[in-house]
Amino acid sequence: MRGLWPDHNPLRRASDRAEAAIVTALAVAFLLGAPLIARVAWQLAMATSFTTITAEQAGWRPVPARLVVSAPFSYGYDVAVMARWRAPGGAERHGRIQVSPGTRAGTRVTVWAGRTGRLARPPMTPSQASVQATCTAAMTVPCWGMLLLCTGVLSRRLLDARRLAAWDADWEAVDPRGPAGRQGHA
């Protein structure tokens, strides 16, 4: 920390002061930007979530469906089986829906359908949307940190290249023979 502190040391180069300023600016950018970016990401994730509220506003409704055939037994994932349901307008529809393995024919399950009776994926509950938005916001903070870290590494490389060029120019002023001439007489 002492090496980054600005002082009046005559040996400290302008590139050293620039590096200290860059490190300070990146730290401030992280500390001020992380909460702001996380909040914006959370709001965007909540606004774009397909929840039960937005589904109902779009005309989707939960409707009861009755299985036509029993679902086969399997381990793990839901299976698709034929079912019948009525569209919100009253028209009878049929198609394949996802149910738990082993669900018997005649069982009533709830599906989401639009005005025409076309099925939609079930929307998230508001609490599921909130959890998803929170995870999204939590992931933006390390991403923001990595972006700033990469910026710092790139800045450091550019400053190091400038320091080496200045070092070579200073040596050239002292010994015009260049690096090859200095190595031969060492």
Side-chain angles (χ1 to χ4, degrees):
M1 198 60 194
R2 183 177 175 195
L4 295 175
W5 192 256
D7 60 8
H8 299 292
N9 184 344
L11 298 177
R12 191 171 309 275
R13 300 167 289 193
S15 62
D16 295 331
R17 287 187 290 278
E19 183 177 3
I22 289 169
V23 168
T24 302
L26 291 174
V28 169
F30 180 77
L31 293 173
L32 295 178
L36 178 65
I37 289 171
R39 178 69 178 173
V40 168
W42 188 87
Q43 288 175 334
L44 284 172
M46 282 300 289
T48 58
S49 295
F50 185 66
T51 63
T52 53
I53 296 165
T54 55
E56 288 174 349
Q57 289 172 349
W60 296 92
R61 297 285 180 260
V63 294
R66 188 173 302 276
L67 297 185
V68 175
V69 295
S70 295
F73 285 98
S74 70
Y75 295 101
Y77 302 104
D78 288 350
V79 293
V81 295
M82 289 300 293
R84 295 179 194 266
W85 64 93
R86 291 204 178 273
E92 182 152 330
R93 301 286 183 194
H94 64 278
R96 298 179 77 74
I97 63 170
Q98 296 288 324
V99 295
S100 299
T103 306
R104 297 185 186 269
T107 303
R108 289 180 63 152
V109 294
T110 302
V111 295
W112 282 79
R115 291 182 183 96
T116 63
R118 193 174 124 235
L119 292 182
R121 64 181 172 89
M124 291 186 282
T125 65
S127 63
Q128 289 171 327
S130 180
V131 168
Q132 182 180 356
T134 301
C135 290
T136 301
M139 290 307 298
T140 59
V141 173
C143 290
W144 175 242
M146 290 302 294
L147 177 67
L148 293 176
L149 181 65
C150 289
T151 302
V153 168
L154 179 62
S155 299
R156 175 72 186 259
R157 284 185 175 240
L158 293 173
L159 286 171
D160 284 346
R162 183 175 175 163
R163 288 175 186 136
L164 287 174
W167 180 259
D168 286 342
D170 289 345
W171 265 112
E172 190 67 33
V174 171
D175 189 357
R177 293 177 293 168
R182 285 189 294 272
Q183 290 175 357
H185 291 90

